[in-house]
Coordinates of all heavy atoms in Angstrom, one line a residue:
A267 N -8.0 -6.3 17.0 CA -6.9 -7.0 16.5 C -6.9 -8.4 16.5 O -6.7 -9.1 15.6 CB -5.6 -6.5 17.2
V268 N -7.2 -9.0 17.8 CA -7.4 -10.5 17.9 C -8.4 -11.1 17.0 O -8.3 -12.2 16.4 CB -7.5 -11.0 19.2 CG1 -6.2 -10.5 20.1 CG2 -8.8 -10.4 20.0
S269 N -9.5 -10.3 16.8 CA -10.7 -10.8 15.9 C -10.3 -10.8 14.5 O -10.7 -11.6 13.7 CB -11.9 -9.8 16.2 OG -12.3 -9.9 17.5
L270 N -9.5 -9.7 14.1 CA -8.9 -9.7 12.7 C -8.1 -10.8 12.4 O -8.1 -11.5 11.3 CB -8.2 -8.2 12.4 CG -9.2 -7.1 12.2 CD1 -8.4 -5.9 12.2 CD2 -10.1 -7.2 10.9
I271 N -7.2 -11.1 13.4 CA -6.2 -12.2 13.2 C -7.0 -13.5 13.0 O -6.6 -14.3 12.3 CB -5.2 -12.2 14.4 CG1 -4.4 -11.0 14.4 CG2 -4.4 -13.5 14.4 CD1 -3.5 -10.9 15.6
A272 N -8.1 -13.8 14.0 CA -8.8 -14.9 13.9 C -9.5 -15.1 12.5 O -9.6 -16.2 12.0 CB -10.0 -14.9 15.0
A273 N -10.0 -13.9 12.0 CA -10.7 -14.0 10.7 C -9.6 -14.3 9.5 O -9.9 -15.0 8.6 CB -11.3 -12.6 10.5
I274 N -8.5 -13.7 9.7 CA -7.3 -14.1 8.8 C -6.8 -15.4 8.7 O -6.7 -16.0 7.7 CB -6.2 -13.0 8.9 CG1 -6.7 -11.6 8.5 CG2 -5.1 -13.4 8.0 CD1 -5.7 -10.5 8.8
L275 N -6.6 -16.0 9.9 CA -6.1 -17.2 10.1 C -7.1 -18.4 9.8 O -6.8 -19.3 9.2 CB -5.5 -17.4 11.4 CG -4.2 -16.5 11.9 CD1 -3.9 -16.7 13.2 CD2 -3.2 -16.7 10.8
F276 N -8.3 -18.3 10.2 CA -9.2 -19.4 10.3 C -10.5 -19.2 9.4 O -11.1 -20.2 9.0 CB -9.7 -19.7 11.7 CG -8.5 -20.2 12.6 CD1 -8.0 -19.2 13.5 CD2 -8.1 -21.4 12.6 CE1 -6.9 -19.6 14.3 CE2 -7.2 -22.0 13.5 CZ -6.5 -21.1 14.4
L277 N -10.9 -18.0 9.2 CA -12.2 -17.8 8.5 C -12.1 -17.1 7.1 O -13.0 -16.4 6.6 CB -13.1 -16.7 9.3 CG -13.3 -17.2 10.8 CD1 -14.1 -16.2 11.6 CD2 -13.9 -18.7 10.8
G278 N -11.0 -17.4 6.5 CA -10.8 -17.1 5.1 C -10.5 -15.6 4.7 O -10.6 -15.2 3.6
G279 N -10.2 -14.9 5.8 CA -9.8 -13.6 5.6 C -10.8 -12.6 4.8 O -12.0 -12.6 5.2
W280 N -10.3 -12.0 3.7 CA -11.2 -11.2 3.0 C -12.0 -11.9 1.8 O -12.7 -11.3 1.0 CB -10.3 -10.1 2.3 CG -9.2 -10.6 1.5 CD1 -9.2 -11.0 0.2 CD2 -7.8 -10.7 2.0 NE1 -7.8 -11.4 -0.1 CE2 -7.0 -11.1 1.0 CE3 -7.2 -10.1 3.1 CZ2 -5.6 -11.4 1.0 CZ3 -5.8 -10.4 3.3 CH2 -5.0 -10.9 2.2
Y281 N -12.0 -13.3 1.8 CA -12.7 -14.0 0.9 C -14.2 -14.3 1.6 O -14.2 -14.8 2.8 CB -12.1 -15.3 0.6 CG -10.8 -15.1 -0.3 CD1 -9.5 -15.3 0.1 CD2 -10.9 -14.6 -1.7 CE1 -8.5 -15.0 -0.7 CE2 -10.0 -14.5 -2.5 CZ -8.6 -14.6 -2.0 OH -7.6 -14.4 -2.9
G282 N -15.1 -14.2 0.8 CA -16.5 -14.6 1.3 C -16.8 -16.1 1.2 O -15.9 -16.8 0.7
P283 N -17.9 -16.4 1.7 CA -18.2 -17.9 1.6 C -18.4 -18.4 0.2 O -18.3 -19.6 0.1 CB -19.5 -17.9 2.5 CG -20.1 -16.5 2.5 CD -19.0 -15.6 2.4
L284 N -18.6 -17.6 -0.7 CA -19.0 -18.0 -2.1 C -17.8 -17.5 -2.8 O -17.2 -16.4 -2.6 CB -20.2 -17.3 -2.7 CG -21.6 -17.8 -2.0 CD1 -22.7 -17.0 -2.5 CD2 -21.7 -19.2 -1.8
V285 N -17.3 -18.3 -3.8 CA -16.3 -18.0 -4.6 C -16.4 -16.8 -5.5 O -15.5 -16.0 -5.6 CB -15.8 -19.2 -5.6 CG1 -14.6 -18.9 -6.5 CG2 -15.7 -20.5 -4.8
D286 N -17.6 -16.5 -5.9 CA -17.9 -15.4 -6.9 C -18.5 -14.3 -6.1 O -19.3 -13.4 -6.7 CB -18.9 -15.8 -8.0 CG -20.2 -16.5 -7.5 OD1 -20.2 -16.7 -6.4 OD2 -21.0 -16.6 -8.4
S287 N -18.2 -14.2 -4.8 CA -18.8 -13.0 -4.0 C -18.3 -11.6 -4.6 O -17.2 -11.5 -4.8 CB -18.3 -13.1 -2.6 OG -18.8 -12.0 -1.8
E288 N -19.3 -10.7 -4.6 CA -18.9 -9.4 -5.2 C -18.7 -8.4 -4.1 O -18.5 -7.2 -4.4 CB -20.3 -9.0 -6.0 CG -20.5 -9.8 -7.3 CD -19.3 -9.8 -8.2 OE1 -18.6 -8.7 -8.3 OE2 -19.2 -10.8 -9.0
I289 N -18.8 -8.8 -2.8 CA -18.6 -7.9 -1.8 C -17.1 -7.6 -1.7 O -16.3 -8.4 -1.7 CB -19.1 -8.6 -0.4 CG1 -20.6 -8.8 -0.5 CG2 -18.9 -7.6 0.8 CD1 -21.0 -9.6 0.7
P290 N -16.6 -6.3 -1.4 CA -15.2 -6.0 -1.3 C -14.7 -6.7 -0.2 O -15.2 -6.9 0.8 CB -15.2 -4.4 -1.0 CG -16.6 -4.0 -1.7 CD -17.5 -5.1 -1.5
G291 N -13.4 -7.2 -0.5 CA -12.7 -8.0 0.5 C -12.5 -7.3 1.9 O -12.7 -8.1 3.0
A292 N -12.1 -6.1 2.0 CA -11.9 -5.5 3.2 C -13.3 -5.4 4.1 O -13.2 -5.6 5.2 CB -11.5 -4.1 2.9
L293 N -14.5 -5.2 3.4 CA -15.7 -5.2 4.1 C -16.0 -6.6 4.7 O -16.5 -6.8 5.8 CB -16.8 -4.8 3.2 CG -18.2 -4.7 3.8 CD1 -18.2 -3.9 4.9 CD2 -19.2 -4.3 2.6
V294 N -15.7 -7.7 3.9 CA -15.9 -9.0 4.3 C -15.1 -9.3 5.6 O -15.7 -9.8 6.5 CB -15.6 -10.0 3.3 CG1 -15.5 -11.5 3.7 CG2 -16.5 -9.9 2.1
L295 N -13.9 -8.9 5.5 CA -13.0 -9.2 6.7 C -13.4 -8.5 7.9 O -13.3 -9.0 9.1 CB -11.5 -8.8 6.3 CG -10.5 -8.9 7.4 CD1 -10.4 -10.4 8.0 CD2 -9.1 -8.5 7.0
I296 N -13.8 -7.2 7.8 CA -14.2 -6.4 8.9 C -15.6 -6.9 9.4 O -15.7 -6.9 10.7 CB -14.4 -4.8 8.5 CG1 -13.0 -4.1 8.2 CG2 -15.1 -4.0 9.6 CD1 -12.9 -2.9 7.6
L297 N -16.5 -7.4 8.6 CA -17.6 -7.9 9.1 C -17.4 -9.2 10.0 O -18.1 -9.5 11.1 CB -18.6 -8.2 8.0 CG -19.3 -7.0 7.3 CD1 -20.2 -7.5 6.1 CD2 -20.2 -6.3 8.3
K298 N -16.5 -10.1 9.5 CA -16.1 -11.2 10.3 C -15.5 -10.9 11.6 O -15.9 -11.5 12.7 CB -15.0 -12.1 9.5 CG -15.7 -12.7 8.2 CD -14.6 -13.4 7.5 CE -15.1 -14.1 6.1 NZ -13.9 -14.7 5.4
A299 N -14.7 -9.9 11.6 CA -14.1 -9.4 12.9 C -15.1 -8.8 13.8 O -15.1 -9.0 15.0 CB -13.0 -8.4 12.6
L300 N -16.0 -8.1 13.3 CA -17.2 -7.4 14.1 C -17.9 -8.5 14.8 O -18.5 -8.3 15.8 CB -17.9 -6.5 13.2 CG -17.4 -5.1 12.8 CD1 -18.3 -4.3 12.0 CD2 -17.0 -4.4 14.1
F301 N -18.2 -9.6 13.9 CA -19.0 -10.6 14.6 C -18.3 -11.3 15.8 O -18.9 -11.5 16.7 CB -19.3 -11.7 13.5 CG -20.0 -13.0 14.2 CD1 -21.3 -12.9 14.5 CD2 -19.2 -14.1 14.3 CE1 -21.9 -14.1 15.0 CE2 -19.8 -15.3 14.8 CZ -21.0 -15.2 15.2
L302 N -16.9 -11.5 15.7 CA -16.2 -12.1 16.8 C -16.1 -11.1 17.9 O -16.0 -11.5 19.0 CB -14.8 -12.4 16.2 CG -14.6 -13.5 15.2 CD1 -13.3 -13.8 14.8 CD2 -15.2 -14.8 15.6
V303 N -16.0 -9.8 17.7 CA -16.1 -8.7 18.8 C -17.4 -8.9 19.4 O -17.4 -8.8 20.7 CB -15.9 -7.4 18.1 CG1 -16.2 -6.3 19.3 CG2 -14.4 -7.2 17.8
F304 N -18.4 -9.0 18.7 CA -19.9 -9.2 19.2 C -19.9 -10.3 20.2 O -20.5 -10.3 21.2 CB -20.8 -9.3 18.2 CG -22.3 -10.0 18.6 CD1 -23.1 -9.1 19.4 CD2 -22.5 -11.2 18.4 CE1 -24.3 -9.6 19.9 CE2 -23.8 -11.7 18.8 CZ -24.6 -11.0 19.6
V305 N -19.3 -11.5 19.8 CA -19.2 -12.7 20.7 C -18.4 -12.4 22.0 O -18.8 -12.9 23.0 CB -18.6 -13.9 19.9 CG1 -18.5 -15.1 20.7 CG2 -19.6 -14.2 18.7
Q306 N -17.3 -11.7 21.8 CA -16.6 -11.3 23.0 C -17.5 -10.5 24.0 O -17.5 -10.7 25.2 CB -15.4 -10.5 22.7 CG -14.3 -11.1 21.9 CD -13.2 -10.3 21.5 OE1 -12.9 -9.3 22.2 NE2 -12.5 -10.6 20.5
M307 N -18.2 -9.6 23.5 CA -19.1 -8.8 24.3 C -20.3 -9.6 24.8 O -20.8 -9.5 26.1 CB -19.8 -7.7 23.5 CG -18.8 -6.6 23.2 SD -19.5 -5.4 22.0 CE -18.1 -4.4 21.7
W308 N -20.7 -10.6 24.0 CA -21.8 -11.6 24.5 C -21.3 -12.4 25.7 O -22.0 -12.5 26.7 CB -22.2 -12.4 23.3 CG -23.2 -13.5 23.5 CD1 -24.0 -13.7 24.6 CD2 -23.7 -14.5 22.5 NE1 -24.9 -14.7 24.3 CE2 -24.7 -15.1 23.2 CE3 -23.3 -14.7 21.2 CZ2 -25.4 -16.3 22.5 CZ3 -23.9 -15.8 20.6 CH2 -25.0 -16.5 21.1
L309 N -20.1 -12.9 25.6 CA -19.5 -13.7 26.6 C -19.3 -12.8 27.9 O -19.5 -13.5 29.0 CB -18.3 -14.4 26.1 CG -18.3 -15.4 25.0 CD1 -16.9 -15.8 24.8 CD2 -19.1 -16.6 25.4

Side-chain angles (χ1 to χ4, degrees):
V268 297
S269 299
L270 285 170
I271 294 169
I274 289 171
L275 295 180
F276 295 98
L277 303 179
W280 50 81
Y281 289 109
L284 303 176
V285 181
D286 56 349
S287 175
E288 298 296 330
I289 305 176
L293 179 59
V294 172
L295 178 58
I296 290 174
L297 287 175
K298 292 175 181 177
L300 286 178
F301 174 74
L302 294 178
V303 171
F304 163 74
V305 175
Q306 292 180 28
M307 296 176 180
W308 182 3
L309 293 177

